[in-house]
Amino acid sequence: MAVSGRALALIFCFLCCYAPAPSSAAAADFLQCLSASVPSHLVFTQSSPSFISVLVSSIRNPRFFTPGTVRPLCIVTPTNASHVQAAVLCGRSHGVRLRVRSGGHDYEGLSYRSERPEVFAVVDLSSLRAVHVNQAAATAWVDSGATVGELYYAVAKADPELAFPAGVCPTMGVGGHFSGGGIGMMMRKNGLAVDNVLDATLVDASGSILDKQAMGRDLFWAIRGGGGESFGIVLSWKVRLVKVPPKVTVFTITKAIDQGAVDAVTKWQTLAPALPDELAIRVIVQNQQARFQSLYLGTCDQLLPVMSSRFPELKMTRADCREMSWLQSTVYINYGNADMPLEVLLNRTTSLSTFTKNKSDYVKQAITKNSWQKIFPWFNGPGSGLIILEPHGGQVSRIADGDTPYPHRSGVLYNIQYIAFWSGDGRASTSWINGLYKFMEPFVSKNPRSAYVNYRDLDIGENAVVGGVTSYDSGRVWGEKYFGAANFKRLAITKGKEDPGDYFRNEQSVPPHVSSK
Ligand code: FDA
């Protein structure tokens, strides 16, 4: 039978991309090894009656809960650090890789599924979720398995004038969220979540527990924004808490096209990154409307003159202001409802009703009004979803691009998150998000077209495995978009020193690179 060159190339690619899976004997040996150190009730194999309920417990996106999804051999749910160490040591001894899951919000599901047919186990950290607040020192230690909502709640209950600057969705896990940076409504005042990380504990590829000092400069740098999974399993984080006033002010003002939405968004692009650091206004564009959603770290009396002088187009009045505690504002901004009990922040329940696909961009030069007039009609057709524009500037942009792996700092006006969602047939929504992303290319950052690692998108590239390790060249395709060329190289060199055998890996983990300098 004749085999074409293209078919040969595909076969070759298949061979080099798919490392041989461990045999079922190795998988059995792995489970046997685990049983020596981890109590059996914390390990769920595919034959355990609770396997599916544990697997699904933090899955957000039903795209990755299908009969065809490559599922883990087992799920380990550690209740102390030694269980995590045992999983790493047993996994390495028997050739079973681990996927780490904290909150399960990864947009591509990489914390609990594999794109490739490989044997792996999930280490689910949801039982390691303590938060210890040191009010006097304004610091906290938070376990990776805590959710952002649990962190916010614990901090503000300890002292209502303390807070932490991280993302909007309360059910996100601290472990994955901090690993990718953590952008949120207070980043203009206080930077990203990782800009406020003071120390951390990590189980590395040799199963040792390292703190900041033992990690050394490069590894501690890498785990603060270099993306989850690549460098080990972060157990806990010491964070600096920030001061907030007893009352903050929130507002949401919606402008339809005939109410000046296009003009307002056009102006917002350069205005929002230059506003006082205490004021964050993000925009959600959906259904031919722009929704301006704001958090101001001060009172309505202080905010009104700023809005009338700097952004009169919004026509904001006192009636738009809602004053509340910072903790209540986190509920308001996520749920759009200030009357829900604060305890909603402790609810970890997720729903499997909505399929989603997300992509991201960064904008450094304001998009013209004429172009926005062409962008808005995208939010009117079949399958149309929404975009969220998150202003940078302020503290997040004052920090140098290389101080953490998150490089989207100086000169960035705002980040765009594209969200497509559907509940039945996803073809219209998928085609909408792909079409809009293509349409936006001329308007956004270039060479490379940047993206945010926490808004994971496998369309921008996946690792190839060559000679048993992830290839640096394949990683550069997606890695330079997330981290910039210099930061990506530093991440890869750090990976080469810390995990040269590439034990911790997934479809977009940092590849090991041996420095040629
Ligand atoms: P998950 O457990 O799925 O992990 C994500 C990645 O990190 C995986 O690769 C995983 O292996 C790895 N990982 C997890 N825990 C680890 C650990 N302890 N050590 C090492 N690696 C670990 N982002 C943002 O910046 N601001 C925002 O406002 C939002 N809002 C938002 C809303 C919603 C509804 C979703 C679904 C997502 C967001 N995000 C976001 C994106 C979010 O920051 C991103 O998905 C995080 O990776 C989620 O962290 P989890 O721990 O929940 O994910």
Side-chain angles (χ1 to χ4, degrees), residues 360-362 408 437 445-446 448-452 480-482:
S360 62
D361 263 317
Y362 284 84
H408 318 290
Y437 185 72
S445 64
K446 294 173 186 55
R449 182 175 182 178
S450 306
Y452 175 35
E480 294 187 357
K481 294 178 176 135
Y482 286 151

Side-chain angles (χ1 to χ4, degrees), residues 14-261:
F14 185 84
L15 291 176
C16 45
C17 293
Y18 295 91
S23 64
S24 55
D29 289 346
F30 168 72
L31 292 170
Q32 178 68 33
C33 175
L34 273 184
S35 68
S37 312
V38 183
S40 58
H41 69 277
L42 302 179
V43 179
F44 301 85
T45 60
Q46 291 197 359
S47 58
S48 312
S50 315
F51 176 80
I52 292 294
S53 63
V54 175
L55 176 66
V56 88
S57 60
S58 67
I59 294 184
R60 293 279 306 194
N61 196 340
R63 270 168 66 211
F64 311 118
F65 187 62
T66 67
T69 307
V70 179
R71 290 181 177 169
L73 164 74
C74 72
I75 306 167
V76 186
T77 58
T79 52
N80 73 52
S82 70
H83 302 153
V84 179
Q85 291 177 285
V88 172
L89 291 170
C90 292
R92 286 205 63 174
S93 304
H94 301 288
V96 173
R97 291 182 189 284
L98 302 177
R99 301 255 166 166
V100 196
R101 183 166 80 170
S102 289
H105 280 44
D106 191 278
Y107 282 145
E108 297 283 10
L110 299 189
S111 53
Y112 53 86
R113 63 119 194 174
S114 171
E115 281 259 296
R116 301 165 189 174
E118 66 174 352
V119 176
F120 66 97
V122 164
V123 174
D124 182 311
L125 297 175
S126 55
S127 298
L128 288 175
R129 57 200 240 218
V131 186
H132 295 289
V133 178
N134 182 336
Q135 188 191 356
T139 59
W141 271 103
V142 54
D143 287 345
S144 280
T147 61
V148 164
E150 287 169 341
L151 173 62
Y152 292 167
Y153 188 89
V155 168
K157 285 291 165 183
D159 182 342
E161 292 185 35
L162 286 177
F164 187 71
V168 168
C169 172
T171 45
M172 290 182 291
V174 159
H177 184 57
F178 288 13
S179 293
I183 68 181
M185 295 300 280
M186 293 205 297
M187 68 177 163
R188 305 196 60 259
K189 174 73 177 167
N190 305 108
L192 306 177
V194 285
D195 298 332
N196 295 282
V197 168
L198 304 170
D199 202 342
T201 59
L202 169 86
V203 176
D204 72 2
S206 64
S208 306
I209 298 183
L210 311 178
D211 64 5
K212 172 184 174 178
Q213 200 185 355
M215 271 182 246
R217 209 167 139 255
D218 286 334
L219 184 53
F220 185 61
W221 174 84
I223 62 163
R224 286 174 299 141
E229 185 73 40
S230 300
F231 298 96
I233 302 181
V234 182
L235 295 173
S236 60
W237 312 76
K238 182 182 182 183
V239 294
R240 173 176 42 234
L241 303 176
V242 301
K243 283 292 276 180
V244 284
K247 290 272 176 245
V248 302
T249 305
V250 293
F251 70 76
T252 303
I253 295 178
T254 302
K255 295 274 175 218
I257 298 265
D258 58 4
Q259 295 169 314

Side-chain angles (χ1 to χ4, degrees), residues 317-338:
T317 67
R318 187 172 292 280
D320 295 307
C321 278
R322 301 196 67 154
E323 288 185 343
M324 58 187 68
S325 68
W326 167 76
L327 191 61
Q328 195 76 53
S329 80
T330 67
V331 174
Y332 173 82
I333 288 164
N334 186 62
Y335 296 100
N337 178 348

